[in-house]
Amino acid sequence: MAAAPRPRRSALYIPGSNARALDKGRTIPADVLILDLEDAVAVEAKEMARAAVAAAVNVHAYGKREVVVRVNGLGTPWIARDIAAVVAAMPDAVLIPKISRMEDIRRARAALAAAQAPAELSLWAMIETPLAVLNAASIASTANNGSGAALDTLVIGTNDLAREMGVRLLPGRAALVPALSQCVLAARAYGLAVLDGTFNDLTDWKGFDAECQQGRDLGMDGKTLIHPRQVPIANEAFAPSNEEVEWAEKVLAAFDRPENHEKAVIAVEGQMVERMHERMALRVIETATAILPDD
């Protein structure tokens, strides 16, 4: 198993055209800030938002938070200038919306290469159409092909996906669970992180918590958010629990005993555990250790 990724329990969208929100992002305990140039920005504000986001990233004022810029779609008139500004500002990653097929990843990489993007700039992909879900495995398979920016994370756009599927977003999201699971399978098969979609009702906190728990149960690394008040709930839901950390420590300690060094299967408190569980335990500890200390 690959090393644990950075914690991505909470990924807050911040409109690039909202100067106050960009500044407030410095104090929000989200693991990820997604500075948005796409859906959250009106057409007449695109140019202003691009300049504001580039300036915010350049200041490097967001501390340990992972900073991602969501650009406009590959077929829009803003994409070339978005990519140029992102590469110059150098966030942690660029998020490309409306990725539907493997060819879209190739186009995104070509655009980044043309702008002379450094190797450390990661590529994130929005999965928000039925075609994208059907092609999730082939999209994820481009992660480690050694060509251009490394594909690191899949971000599920549940609002657009539900609209294009013609389903209703009801509590429990039964109509979307197969698609969500397919995205998780694709991400895990190729070593990618995967983030759940947003929850739109800012008055239903019980419902939001339930959807976070569902995302965690489905295997998501975290959830994309639309309001700072959602951050603490997502952070708690997607963090390893105290019980999980305690069990992981016991598993690692058991395998570390001299008499167990060569064993593939051992017993820990009456439960049979394998080397696979040792790797899972290590991931839990690494994730818990990496969580921002000020949360």
Side-chain angles (χ1 to χ4, degrees), residues 75-261:
T76 69
W78 306 286
I79 184 60
R81 282 170 289 178
D82 285 354
I83 292 292
V86 167
V87 168
M90 199 50 200
D92 294 294
V94 55
L95 174 58
I96 309 291
K98 303 296 187 295
I99 295 292
S100 289
R101 51 178 64 84
M102 188 187 301
E103 172 65 15
D104 294 335
I105 298 295
R106 188 200 66 77
R107 291 172 60 201
R109 282 185 168 134
L112 289 169
Q116 298 182 326
E120 58 267 31
L121 180 64
S122 295
L123 179 62
W124 290 22
M126 291 287 301
I127 305 297
E128 50 190 334
T129 67
L131 185 59
V133 174
L134 293 175
N135 288 332
S138 64
I139 291 169
S141 72
T142 66
N144 301 311
N145 67 359
S147 174
L151 179 62
D152 182 270
T153 301
L154 302 182
V155 180
I156 306 175
T158 45
N159 288 326
D160 285 343
L161 181 59
R163 183 178 65 249
E164 292 207 16
M165 289 175 63
V167 303
R168 292 187 293 173
L169 282 175
L170 301 175
R173 302 188 293 181
L176 285 186
V177 166
L180 298 176
S181 293
Q182 188 160 332
C183 292
V184 173
L185 285 168
R188 296 298 177 239
Y190 294 98
L192 303 181
V194 56
L195 301 183
D196 199 358
T198 59
F199 186 84
N200 303 321
D201 190 342
L202 296 179
T203 63
D204 184 7
W205 298 105
K206 182 178 179 180
F208 174 67
D209 181 65
E211 193 163 292
C212 286
Q213 297 296 336
Q214 181 195 41
R216 172 76 186 275
D217 290 344
L218 288 171
M220 305 285 183
D221 292 288
K223 192 164 183 66
T224 49
L225 312 174
I226 59 173
H227 195 280
R229 288 183 62 192
Q230 295 177 325
V231 170
I233 297 173
N235 281 349
E236 182 177 355
F238 287 95
S241 67
N242 291 335
E243 293 77 11
E244 288 172 321
V245 172
E246 289 174 4
W247 175 250
E249 289 173 341
K250 291 177 181 178
V251 170
L252 293 176
F255 273 112
D256 195 46
R257 296 186 189 115
E259 65 269 24
N260 292 331
H261 281 178

Side-chain angles (χ1 to χ4, degrees), residues 50-67:
R50 184 190 305 116
V53 164
V57 174
N58 271 318
V59 170
H60 300 293
Y62 294 118
K64 293 183 179 180
R65 296 162 188 82
E66 194 167 10
V67 178

